[in-house]
Amino acid sequence: MNLDLIGAAAGALTTIAFIPQVWRVWQTRSARDLSLSMYLIFTSGVALWLVYGILLGALPIIAANGITLLFAGTVLAMKLKFG
């Protein structure tokens, strides 16, 4: 099996997993129950994965973590705004 296909599938699933959270916080305008420290740590880790993917030139890692960084960063921003 093509390793890039496995990487793309894994990246797609872990990225898509954030959509319900983003949608829920946006709808309710509440992020009170979300952990700020978890999202700070997670978003930092995703940013580092993105840098790693760029350094390797690995498109599945770059795409998945670029999009996940956008989603996680959005949730983090809404956590800071809506608390």
Side-chain angles (χ1 to χ4, degrees), residues 2-12 15 50 53 57-66:
N2 185 339
L3 292 179
D4 283 340
L5 182 60
I6 294 170
T15 298
L50 177 59
L59 189 56
I61 296 173
I62 295 167
N65 286 287

Side-chain angles (χ1 to χ4, degrees), residues 15-42:
T15 298
I16 290 168
F18 270 88
I19 293 173
Q21 188 69 71
V22 171
W23 184 252
R24 177 74 174 169
V25 173
W26 180 257
Q27 278 187 317
T28 63
R29 300 288 196 266
S30 175
R32 186 180 57 176
D33 293 333
L34 299 179
S35 168
L36 178 60
S37 59
M38 179 273 185
Y39 269 92
L40 285 169
I41 293 166
F42 182 79

Side-chain angles (χ1 to χ4, degrees), residues 41-82:
I41 293 166
F42 182 79
T43 303
S44 299
V46 171
L48 289 174
W49 272 113
L50 177 59
V51 170
Y52 178 70
I54 291 169
L55 293 173
L56 287 179
L59 189 56
I61 296 173
I62 295 167
N65 286 287
I67 296 167
T68 302
L69 183 59
L70 177 68
F71 289 154
T74 299
V75 173
L76 180 58
M78 288 189 292
K79 172 64 177 172
L80 294 171
K81 181 176 180 175
F82 303 137

